[in-house]
Amino acid sequence: MRATDGDESYEERLRASEERLRLSEIAGGIATFEYDYDRGVWSWSEQAAPILGMDSKTAEGWEKTVFPDDLLKVEAALEAAKQDGNFYVEFRARRTDKSLHWIVAKGQIAVAIPHPLLRGAIYEITDRKALEVRLLALNETLEARIAELRQEAKSLEILNDTGVAVAAELDLPTLVQTVTDAGVQLTHAEFGAFFYNVLREDGEAYTLYTLSGVPRETFEKFPMPRNTAIFEPTFRGRGPVRSDDILADPRYGKNAPHMGMPEGHLPVRSYLAVSVVSRSGEVLGGLFFGHSQPRVFTDRAQHIVMGLAAQAAVAIDNTRLYQATQQEIEFRRQAEEELQRVNQTLEQKAEERARQLATSHTRLEETERRFRLLVESVTDYAIYMLDSNGSVVNWNAGAQRIKGYKREDIIGRHFSTFYTADERVAEIPAKALAIAAATGKYEAEGWRVRKDGSTFWAGVVINAIKSQDGELLGFAKITRDLTERRAADERARQAQKMEGIGQLTGGVAHDFNNLLTIIIGNLETLQRGLNTAPLPPIERLKRSAENAMRGSRRAESLTQRLLAFSRQTPLEPKPTDIGNLVAGLSDLLRRTLGEQVTVETVLGGGLWRANVDPNQLEVAIINLAVNARDAMPGGGKLTLETANVYLDDNYAASQVEVLPGQYVMVAVTDSGVGMTPEVITKAFDPFFTTKDVGHGTGLGLSQVYGFAKQSGGHVKIYSELGDGTTIKLYFPRVHAAVSDRKGDAAPAVARGSATETILVVEDDTDVRSYGCDSLRDLGYDVIEAKDGHAALKLLDSHPYIKVLFTDVGLPGGMNGRQLADEARRRRPQLKVLFTSGYARNAIVHDGRLDPGVELITKPYTQAALSTKLRDIIDFSEGPSRILLVEDEPLIQMLAVEFLEDAGLKVDTAGTAREALNKLALIAGRFAAVVVDIGLPDRAGDDLIREIRSMHSSLPIIVASGQGAKDVRELFRDEKQIAFVGKPYLANDLYVALRELRIPVQAKPQH
């Protein structure tokens, strides 16, 4: 029969059983043997060689270790065993170290076997023989003590009989009783007992196994012995305890409650106790002997009992091993029966399982065949497999049609072959596999390359294929040619765009026609009146001019909304208290929206400042308020709310162009009709409006959306039909502290001087004429040019020009920014003011003015122009300026006071960006810069390096509280740099200023 799992299990159990038997022999110090009478061959277990004193692993040639005389005894014992079936012999064996050892061999003939076979065991009895030798020697030297020798012989006989009995005894109670009876006889005790150690859950206890010399009932009424000073050494295996008179022993009578022997106990004077210890060191129990007379037990009795205890220990160990062996034999028998039963049905089960596997394999092959046919028949999709490294391992007909590669051309090549060169450089293929391996799936659209080099727009799906234990096996990749669909989508978008542009132009044309009607009509009235003699009443002329101006303002507002929608409005963001701004707008909205709309403001406490253009924010809120009013035709409630919010990573990941962080939120809520989900999705789309044609351009919410995104913020609509609408605007928080001081209102017109020359560069004749006339009216000396090249010639011929006032968009190949750069190269101290209605990318990047750029947007008034010019011209006048870069308000205030007391003008900046803007605006006018190392938006040492790159000789004072030594070390090679440690006093600043050779006129301190 072929080997099965059951056979292997049986063999393993058999080997385990043999191993336990071997260990039992080692623990018991015995070895087994067999002798075949017919062949005259001995078979020994592994333990025979060590017992016989042989160095080899087997006992082959064991007869050489036996004394020749003793070999005869062995042969005689073999012959005797043939007669009575029992084999017993004692013989001497000499080991390799020349020592002599006694060995006993015992066995029986197995009569059930056809051929006579002797089976038995051997073990060493050297100690017993040594004792016998000593007794014999004593008998020879003490002939006079014949009676004692007879007694000794009797003792030896008892010991021998006991040894033989316990060696062959496997019943534990009988064995222990035999040892105890022998001990009573050999020690002449009146009674003896064997107590066995047992471990219970509540602690250690002792069980009486047997008594000798007295009936068992004598001790039944007494408790078991405890760990007293008398009993503990025996139960702990600490050596024999012998007392000639226990009543006089200092260890006796020390324990409650009896303080000695309990009442009714047999009288004990002489006491002897010996521990019974197994080969492993375990204390099995103890032999205890007593006599009513003192001084009964001698040293000889103690040694005899110790020998008995050793025999008892060996016998108990052997009994345990025997019981374990019997259990193992029984287990083997049951296992063999079970194995036979299993073998009867195993072949039948194996055949049935084989049939099932064959059927499953057939079905699997059919399934795979159908799937292969399905994949190979698909031609609209490229379906193929990649190994874990991204190499192609199979290819379908659709892949060949779409990508142009035959199976033999592409198998084994990396799938990055299908990507463009730029995507391969950017490692897009590797990133796609990494995402698929990590998440299980990767989806994308992009340009792919065919075999002939042409490209197509592809939709790609990559699925990771993993084993049951999670090991990555490869990838399944599906590619679809979406070129035609993309083109169709593009055509649809273009059509939609043209429709939107048509809608936009219709609305804008309508609005501009109305405005032009107002402007042209009033200007015509004004012109006709001025040409009439006498002149009409001045009030009529003023009314016509005011009406034309109002129409112009409305046209300006419409233009600004168009620019905001296109995100081209140059923003001037600044730290803004949105709470104050909303509170100021609420009154305006109440008057504007009418009595039917109730306006309520809910302002959050401790509102942060936001970095936003306040004017554009007002326009956005007004736009939202007007939309809200239109959504409440019968009136309702408008709520303006502000709050501090935090947009977390999860929310930011679910939105477009949103970074997690702290924001200031402005919410505009109405109780109007609400929006449908479809309207919400299109609300921010350019040109989208729910109003009738001619009643709106669809740019209101687009302007709000563009402004919010341009400001680095976010906008969100929440609305349901019948429940109103809430639009929330989010603007980034400004972390730097900002002074709350408000300047006085600027005068309507700030006049200039004839000694101040302005170069005006504008290509539009009417605009240039208006600008020059306005400046001359303000008292300035004006020179004009129509393009950049003419302006540079005038600049070279008029060295006293103070300000270049130029349009950004100029003809002739040089725009306003290029003109300003060249002019400043020639005249570094020249001030520049830009003007533009549409700045594009010349001076505006990421929706913000470039650092150091001053701009006045078209259309502008004379008052706005005068104020802007005076700000630029006057900014550098007066005493030396110190730029203080410090974000902590209290320290900033204190440092300003120190510096102003020194006769210096101070400009402050709370962030690195603000400092760089001021340095660029008035380049060369600062005497020094005081920089705090810890700034909110940028490290102070980075700011110092950037200042050095732009202004290599500008003195810098570094203020640092922590790591001052490290900062000094960092800039030790820099010139024109000084250091002050925080906290610093006024004198510390003055010392640093003087070190940099900056004049200080410090006031005396009191």
Side-chain angles (χ1 to χ4, degrees):
M1 180 180 295
R2 58 185 177 184
T4 64
D5 292 342
D7 293 331
E8 293 174 357
S9 176
Y10 173 75
E11 291 297 331
E12 289 176 0
R13 293 196 298 272
L14 184 60
R15 285 193 294 271
S17 175
E18 291 173 349
E19 178 63 15
R20 286 193 290 271
L21 184 59
R22 186 181 69 82
L23 294 175
S24 298
E25 289 184 355
I26 294 173
I30 64 174
T32 59
F33 65 87
E34 288 183 358
Y35 178 71
D36 190 336
Y37 277 88
D38 289 349
R39 294 187 299 153
V41 176
W42 293 85
S43 299
W44 300 90
S45 65
E46 290 181 1
Q47 298 305 312
I51 294 176
L52 294 170
M54 301 176 69
D55 291 336
S56 60
K57 293 184 178 180
T58 65
E60 185 176 356
W62 66 278
E63 296 91 345
K64 296 178 181 180
T65 66
V66 182
F67 274 107
D69 293 343
D70 290 349
L71 276 175
L72 297 175
K73 292 168 58 179
V74 173
E75 293 172 357
L78 288 172
E79 291 299 324
K82 284 184 177 181
Q83 304 301 322
D84 58 10
N86 294 319
F87 173 77
Y88 181 88
V89 65
E90 297 177 358
F91 59 88
R92 291 164 292 174
R94 187 178 298 279
R95 296 187 174 176
T96 56
D97 61 356
K98 306 304 181 182
S99 60
L100 189 66
H101 294 264
W102 277 93
I103 309 296
V104 63
K106 296 174 63 176
Q108 292 181 340
I109 292 179
V111 297
I113 298 175
H115 302 289
L117 188 66
L118 176 63
R119 291 175 176 168
I122 64 170
Y123 55 91
E124 185 176 349
I125 58 171
T126 303
D127 291 341
R128 194 189 77 187
K129 283 297 183 179
L131 180 59
E132 291 175 358
V133 170
R134 287 196 297 273
L135 291 176
L136 288 173
L138 182 61
N139 186 51
E140 292 173 358
T141 57
L142 299 176
E143 293 179 357
R145 300 171 62 187
I146 299 300
E148 185 176 347
L149 287 175
R150 287 176 180 170
Q151 182 61 41
E152 189 71 25
K154 178 64 176 176
S155 298
L156 291 174
E157 182 181 357
I158 295 172
L159 280 172
N160 186 61
D161 293 343
T162 303
V164 173
V166 299
E169 185 59 60
L170 298 175
D171 181 66
L172 190 58
T174 304
L175 185 151
V176 174
Q177 187 65 56
T178 301
V179 172
T180 307
D181 291 342
V184 169
Q185 293 181 55
L186 293 171
T187 60
H188 305 292
E190 288 182 343
F191 61 88
F194 179 83
F195 285 92
Y196 190 70
N197 269 7
V198 244
L199 190 64
R200 296 193 310 223
E201 293 182 359
D202 57 351
E204 203 166 30
Y206 312 101
T207 301
L208 176 64
Y209 246 123
T210 186
L211 277 171
S212 181
V214 292
R216 192 175 186 87
E217 293 79 11
T218 307
F219 280 90
E220 285 182 347
K221 61 182 178 179
F222 301 118
M224 292 296 104
R226 296 174 297 129
N227 281 341
T228 62
I230 295 294
F231 292 121
E232 183 180 23
T234 304
F235 289 121
R236 298 296 186 196
R238 296 175 182 168
V241 176
R242 178 166 62 90
S243 178
D244 290 339
D245 189 350
I246 195 65
L247 299 180
D249 194 294
R251 296 170 291 184
Y252 177 76
K254 303 296 184 183
N255 297 89
H258 303 293
M259 308 305 290
M261 286 176 282
E263 185 178 353
H265 195 282
L266 289 174
V268 178
R269 297 293 295 279
S270 296
Y271 173 80
L272 175 62
V274 176
S275 304
V276 179
V277 184
S278 72
R279 292 183 182 86
S280 64
E282 177 190 359
V283 180
L284 304 175
L287 287 168
F288 299 85
F289 301 97
H291 199 285
S292 59
Q293 297 299 319
R295 291 180 296 280
V296 171
F297 303 129
T298 62
D299 287 341
R300 172 180 171 277
Q302 177 176 320
H303 287 298
I304 290 174
V305 173
M306 290 174 66
L308 279 174
Q311 287 185 329
V314 171
I316 292 173
D317 284 343
N318 290 342
T319 300
R320 287 179 170 179
L321 290 173
Y322 172 76
Q323 292 173 348
T325 302
Q326 290 299 112
Q327 292 175 357
E328 180 63 27
I329 291 172
E330 178 61 21
F331 175 77
R332 284 191 182 186
R333 185 189 64 77
Q334 294 176 0
E336 288 174 356
E337 291 178 355
E338 179 65 18
L339 185 60
Q340 291 174 358
R341 186 187 66 79
V342 170
N343 284 339
Q344 292 174 358
T345 60
L346 183 60
E347 290 187 3
Q348 180 180 356
K349 291 182 178 180
E351 292 176 358
E352 179 64 25
R353 182 57 179 164
R355 285 194 297 271
Q356 293 175 355
L357 290 175
T359 302
S360 298
H361 182 68
T362 302
R363 292 176 179 172
L364 179 61
E365 287 182 338
E366 178 62 19
T367 301
E368 290 179 348
R369 185 185 66 82
R370 292 180 179 179
F371 178 73
R372 190 162 50 252
L373 289 174
L374 174 64
V375 171
E376 291 178 352
S377 63
V378 173
T379 58
D380 291 338
Y381 293 85
I383 303 175
Y384 54 98
M385 304 290 292
L386 307 175
D387 63 17
S388 58
N389 296 319
S391 297
V392 179
V393 295
N394 66 15
W395 197 246
N396 80 328
Q400 180 174 338
R401 185 189 69 81
I402 293 173
K403 297 180 181 289
Y405 291 91
K406 294 181 179 180
R407 183 188 303 270
E408 56 270 19
D409 296 334
I410 198 62
I411 296 295
R413 294 178 62 179
H414 198 270
F415 86 111
S416 59
T417 302
F418 312 130
Y419 284 75
T420 63
D422 291 342
E423 288 184 320
R424 289 197 296 271
V425 171
E427 299 182 348
I428 299 300
K431 293 176 181 178
L433 293 187
I435 293 173
T439 65
K441 188 177 184 179
Y442 170 81
E443 291 187 77
E445 291 187 7
W447 291 108
R448 296 294 180 267
V449 182
R450 295 189 177 94
K451 182 180 180 181
D452 60 7
S454 62
T455 59
F456 66 98
W457 188 258
V460 177
V461 178
I462 303 177
N463 290 94
I465 302 175
K466 297 183 179 181
S467 63
Q468 291 184 349
D469 57 0
E471 179 186 0
L472 180 64
L473 302 178
F475 301 91
K477 191 169 185 294
I478 302 175
T479 303
R480 187 181 181 188
D481 187 349
L482 302 178
T483 307
E484 293 182 1
R485 192 192 75 178
R486 185 170 186 267
D489 291 344
E490 184 64 28
R491 289 193 295 270
R493 280 194 295 270
Q494 184 66 21
Q496 183 181 9
K497 178 180 179 182
M498 295 307 296
E499 180 183 355
I501 291 176
Q503 186 176 357
L504 168 68
T505 55
V508 171
H510 176 273
D511 286 353
F512 263 108
N513 281 333
N514 290 338
L515 297 174
L516 289 174
T517 300
I518 296 172
I519 296 170
I520 294 173
N522 282 281
L523 289 177
E524 184 183 18
T525 301
L526 183 61
Q527 186 180 37
R528 187 171 57 251
L530 292 174
N531 292 330
T532 302
L535 291 175
I538 193 66
E539 291 300 326
R540 181 179 177 184
L541 297 178
K542 285 178 65 178
R543 184 166 62 252
S544 296
E546 289 172 356
N547 289 337
M549 181 61 71
R550 276 198 296 272
S552 300
R553 290 302 182 199
R554 288 174 59 186
E556 177 188 13
S557 175
L558 180 58
T559 303
Q560 291 299 322
R561 292 174 68 183
L562 286 168
L563 289 173
F565 149 68
S566 63
R567 301 197 197 183
Q568 299 298 330
T569 301
L571 300 181
E572 295 188 39
K574 62 183 70 176
T576 302
D577 187 339
I578 292 182
N580 288 342
L581 185 146
V582 171
L585 274 180
S586 59
D587 291 337
L588 172 64
L589 293 176
R590 288 187 181 94
R591 293 192 300 270
T592 303
L593 300 181
E595 297 179 354
Q596 288 184 315
V597 177
T598 302
V599 179
E600 179 180 333
T601 56
V602 181
L603 304 179
L607 199 66
W608 300 323
R609 293 181 182 271
N611 196 36
V612 67
D613 187 324
N615 295 326
Q616 292 298 327
L617 177 57
E618 287 181 352
V619 173
I621 294 175
I622 292 172
N623 266 335
L624 295 177
V626 171
N627 281 350
R629 179 201 62 191
D630 294 343
M632 300 182 290
K637 180 179 179 182
L638 176 71
T639 303
L640 302 178
E641 181 184 0
T642 62
N644 297 329
V645 298
Y646 178 80
L647 303 183
D648 60 20
D649 293 336
N650 292 333
Y651 180 84
S654 66
Q655 304 299 317
V656 178
E657 297 179 345
V658 178
L659 296 176
Q662 295 175 327
Y663 290 81
V664 179
M665 184 271 295
V666 181
V668 179
T669 303
D670 64 62
S671 58
V673 295
M675 303 182 189
T676 65
E678 292 77 12
V679 171
I680 292 176
T681 59
K682 298 179 180 179
F684 293 130
D685 288 354
F687 326 123
F688 178 78
T689 179
T690 57
K691 300 176 183 179
D692 295 334
V693 175
H695 293 276
T697 61
L699 292 175
L701 288 181
S702 295
Q703 180 263 338
V704 173
Y705 181 86
F707 163 65
K709 292 299 182 181
Q710 196 174 353
S711 301
H714 176 52
V715 59
K716 188 72 173 178
I717 298 179
Y718 302 90
S719 182
E720 290 186 9
L721 281 177
D723 291 334
T725 300
T726 296
I727 298 181
K728 293 185 177 181
L729 302 174
Y730 300 87
F731 300 100
R733 174 191 178 183
V734 173
H735 291 272
V738 180
S739 173
D740 288 329
R741 291 178 296 181
K742 297 180 180 178
D744 297 333
V749 175
R751 301 194 62 81
S753 168
T755 60
E756 296 171 327
T757 302
I758 311 297
L759 174 57
V760 179
V761 187
E762 171 63 61
D763 62 308
D764 188 289
T765 304
D766 293 336
V767 176
R768 185 171 69 249
S769 176
Y770 167 72
C772 292
D773 290 346
S774 297
L775 291 173
R776 290 189 181 99
D777 288 346
L778 292 172
Y780 293 102
D781 179 35
V782 180
I783 302 174
E784 56 184 285
K786 66 179 181 178
D787 57 39
H789 299 289
L792 289 176
K793 292 178 181 179
L794 292 171
L795 187 68
D796 291 337
S797 60
H798 296 78
Y800 47 84
I801 292 175
K802 200 158 196 174
V803 178
L804 170 63
F805 179 35
T806 178
D807 185 20
V808 174
L810 293 175
M814 178 182 290
N815 63 29
R817 181 56 184 265
Q818 293 168 332
L819 168 63
D821 291 343
E822 177 60 24
R824 276 181 171 168
R825 188 186 67 79
R826 301 181 185 188
R827 299 267 298 277
Q829 305 303 322
L830 182 68
K831 305 297 182 185
V832 179
L833 174 61
F834 292 100
T835 182
S836 176
Y838 182 52
R840 299 181 185 248
N841 294 324
I843 59 173
V844 177
H845 292 88
D846 296 327
R848 298 167 186 265
L849 287 173
D850 292 343
V853 169
E854 287 293 325
L855 172 71
I856 183 169
T857 58
K858 296 178 182 178
Y860 53 82
T861 64
Q862 185 185 55
L865 178 60
S866 67
T867 301
K868 198 73 173 181
L869 274 174
R870 286 263 53 97
D871 286 345
I872 295 174
I873 294 172
D874 296 339
F875 200 67
S876 60
E877 300 296 332
S880 298
R881 293 177 183 272
I882 302 294
L883 176 59
L884 174 64
V885 189
E886 171 64 63
D887 65 315
E888 178 59 46
L890 294 179
I891 298 177
Q892 189 184 90
M893 291 172 58
L894 186 63
V896 168
E897 183 179 346
F898 290 162
L899 294 169
E900 288 179 346
D901 285 347
L904 301 170
K905 277 194 173 184
V906 184
D907 289 278
T908 61
T911 63
R913 182 183 180 89
E914 187 179 358
L916 291 173
N917 283 345
K918 290 195 174 183
L919 283 170
L921 180 63
I922 44 177
R925 293 301 184 183
F926 284 112
V929 182
V930 181
V931 179
D932 177 28
I933 283 295
L935 294 173
D937 61 336
R938 193 170 181 180
D941 54 340
D942 287 344
L943 174 60
I944 292 170
R945 292 189 184 93
E946 187 159 351
I947 293 174
R948 271 285 181 260
S949 68
M950 296 187 300
H951 311 282
S952 58
S953 61
L954 179 63
I956 299 175
I957 299 175
V958 182
S960 174
Q962 295 182 346
K965 292 183 179 179
D966 296 337
V967 175
R968 289 175 183 270
E969 182 66 22
L970 194 61
F971 296 105
R972 64 178 181 178
D973 297 329
E974 292 284 345
K975 297 180 180 180
Q976 287 292 88
I977 193 165
F979 302 90
V980 293
K982 288 185 175 180
Y984 52 78
L985 301 176
N987 193 55
D988 298 328
L989 270 180
Y990 301 158
V991 170
L993 289 167
R994 292 189 182 103
E995 182 182 343
L996 298 175
R997 300 184 180 278
I998 297 172
V1000 175
Q1001 301 174 359
K1003 298 179 181 178
Q1005 297 182 7
H1006 303 286

